Amino acid sequence: MPLDAIDFEERDGLPYRGWPFARSALEPWYRRAQDVCQVGPFDYTPDSWGVLQPKLPAPFRGPHFVPRIAQLSPPTRFGSAYGPELRSSSNVTVYLQANACHFQTNEFGNEVQFLSVRTLSGHGFKVSAKKFVVAAGGIENTRLLLVSGRAEGQGVGNGRELIGRFFMTHICCWTGRLAIMDPPTDFYFDPGYFRTYQGGGAPRTFVPYIGLSEETMRQRRLPNIKLLWKYEVLGEHSNAGPLTDFPSIIHDMQGRRQYVESKVFRREGVPVTGTKLFLNLEPVPNPDSRIRLSGERDAIGMRKVIVDWNVTAEDKHHGAAVLRLLGAEAARSGFGRVRSLLEDGDDDNWPSDMYGDQHHMGTTRMHRDGSLGVVNEDCRVHGVANLYVAGSSVFPTAGAANPTLTITALALRLADHLKDEFR
Amino acid sequence: MSGMPLLRRSKLLGALGCVAAAIWSAVPWAALRSENARDRMVQKLVSLLPDRQRARQVGTVYLQSSLEQRAPPLALVETVLAVMGPNASSEAIRRYLVAPIQQELQEVQVSVDGWIMSPTEAQLCALSATV
């Protein structure tokens, strides 16, 4: 799934945000990336996937919460999918089990001279090239740049000490519960559950989820989100406590019948009581969230990294605000009641199951201004003439989307840029 | 015939009457009537929440919270009395409260043990906890 247009924008009240270009500038490569990642057409409109807004529960028909979809790849195993093409290529040589360890620069640090490569068996060699592209992953890109350059330096292209800062992953946790007043029995809308779309052509797998509308993100200065849920059936309440039955307290206030009991009594439908809410939250870019080099070394002698992931009070406020808005919308529409686990007022206290996912981003962030970013809009390291970075480490803003499609689109764009440079 | 002379008795009865009249006039009948109306309104409001025990639990948590926007439950009683009058039926009150609750949910919500609700709903539960 691509990032949203709003993810590329600078925004009031949300510092360090914005890409050097709009999403529209990346769209030609997004379209090509769809094929590379073996997913369907470049169409993420829920309607096109059979998720029709009028059929959704009221809180998810806007204006604040809207349905979204993510396409799933088979998944693509790049080695087996593209290995044969690489093997048969006359101008590409692939070295496996060869670890890029160090970029040696000239005495001014503004040009890479060669790359040192080592193997676990103790062999090594050097690679010279006109241009180098680091594409080692969100954390490894950073490590390689930090350990490179002249001896005792602070890395290559790191004059502003920005490399390693702004480390981001999506903030994930089960953030609450939505007690549904009148639960659906057709399960038409299953945010978080894998679905198959049969319409027109081969069946394709996707996952519907709940997002915030762009207007709401702008007006309320909220980051992007992915909200998923898991149905709970009768007897499955996970948050037992004296107040778990708040919805039953206000049931009569809303003039509604006790759905669950009647369904169980009449043996109709599935006795759904509610859903557990899983929030995937875009983090605030934070310069103090960073990757640094450790004193320890790995098997080939490279310094290991310390990942110092820091979430902020602002992140917590954002998550709480999203849950509060959902609670208000669900209550106003009579759909249900939300219990938020992000309301304890303690900024450092997240639900115990909170974690950062495997989407490592931001540590060689892109910015036109070398004082604010590690790479420029062409993904070239500021101040180094022939060194480029590919991967999610260049994302200045994380959005809520899984990053693979954007990583692929940026790599294709960089490849086209390099082809132009060599012409 | 034994006892007080008639004249003395009349004077005494007259004096007692004066005292009674003075006491009668000193009683704050209006206040008592209003107190009764308030009590009746509290009962009507509380009756909107059928599960009194659970509502009381929510209300207790709300009253113990340190929410900046916490509103005193009696303020709700005064508001409904002023708008609906003392003789409004519970059903009429329920219908009246729907709009402010909807409005509040849009503009300002409170969280009681994590449950997102309108301040009026929280006040109703708090009333249950106070009677």
Side-chain angles (χ1 to χ4, degrees), chain A residues 89-339:
Chain A
S89 170
S90 59
N91 60 353
V92 176
T93 305
V94 178
Y95 291 87
L96 299 175
Q97 318 302 329
N99 302 286
C101 293
H102 184 267
F103 285 112
Q104 184 64 35
T105 60
N106 63 11
E107 60 182 307
F108 308 108
N110 59 10
E111 189 176 26
V112 174
Q113 294 175 316
F114 61 85
L115 169 70
S116 296
V117 178
R118 283 199 288 269
T119 68
L120 280 172
S121 57
H123 298 291
F125 58 95
K126 292 175 183 173
V127 177
S128 298
K130 288 180 183 167
K131 295 180 189 294
F132 295 85
V133 178
V134 187
I139 293 176
E140 288 298 302
N141 280 355
T142 306
R143 176 160 85 137
L144 190 50
L145 295 187
L146 284 174
V147 299
S148 294
R150 310 298 290 185
E152 304 305 319
Q154 54 195 359
V156 61
N158 198 22
R160 311 269 186 172
E161 291 191 48
L162 281 173
I163 296 177
R165 291 190 182 273
F166 295 97
F167 175 67
M168 300 180 286
T169 77
H170 294 124
I171 301 167
C172 303
C173 60
W174 292 98
T175 44
R177 182 167 175 269
L178 172 57
I180 303 178
M181 291 294 194
D182 193 8
T185 51
D186 60 1
F187 297 95
Y188 174 76
F189 186 51
D190 296 340
Y193 289 77
F194 284 23
R195 299 254 303 261
T196 302
Y197 181 62
Q198 301 280 4
R204 293 194 301 266
T205 312
F206 71 101
V207 175
Y209 67 92
I210 299 158
L212 285 171
S213 68
E214 292 206 349
E215 295 76 32
T216 296
M217 283 190 260
R218 278 201 187 86
Q219 284 167 4
R220 295 176 180 251
R221 296 182 173 183
L222 289 173
N224 219 325
I225 63 155
K226 272 205 304 259
L227 190 63
L228 315 170
W229 71 37
K230 177 178 179 291
Y231 281 107
E232 283 181 333
V233 296
L234 200 64
E236 230 188 25
H237 277 212
S238 58
N239 56 345
L243 304 184
T244 52
D245 284 336
F246 175 67
S248 70
I249 295 168
I250 44 83
H251 229 278
D252 281 15
M253 278 292 292
Q254 300 198 340
R256 286 168 185 278
R257 293 184 312 153
Q258 179 52 271
Y259 169 89
V260 172
E261 285 171 8
S262 67
K263 287 287 178 190
V264 171
F265 181 70
R266 294 190 207 136
R267 296 174 185 277
E268 291 173 356
V270 180
V272 168
T273 57
T275 71
K276 279 178 74 179
L277 298 168
F278 185 83
L279 183 65
N280 186 310
L281 180 70
E282 176 186 8
V284 172
N286 172 16
D288 295 326
S289 178
R290 64 188 298 192
I291 292 171
R292 288 178 282 120
L293 291 177
S294 151
E296 281 184 59
R297 291 180 184 269
D298 65 14
I300 53 172
M302 273 181 86
R303 288 174 72 183
K304 292 183 177 178
V305 290
I306 296 167
V307 178
D308 185 11
W309 179 48
N310 277 296
V311 291
T312 63
E314 213 176 341
D315 291 312
K316 177 87 183 290
H317 295 163
H318 288 155
V322 168
L323 266 284
R324 204 170 258 245
L325 183 60
L326 179 64
E329 288 298 289
R332 264 179 3 100
S333 63
F335 180 68
R337 289 291 175 151
V338 168
R339 187 185 189 201

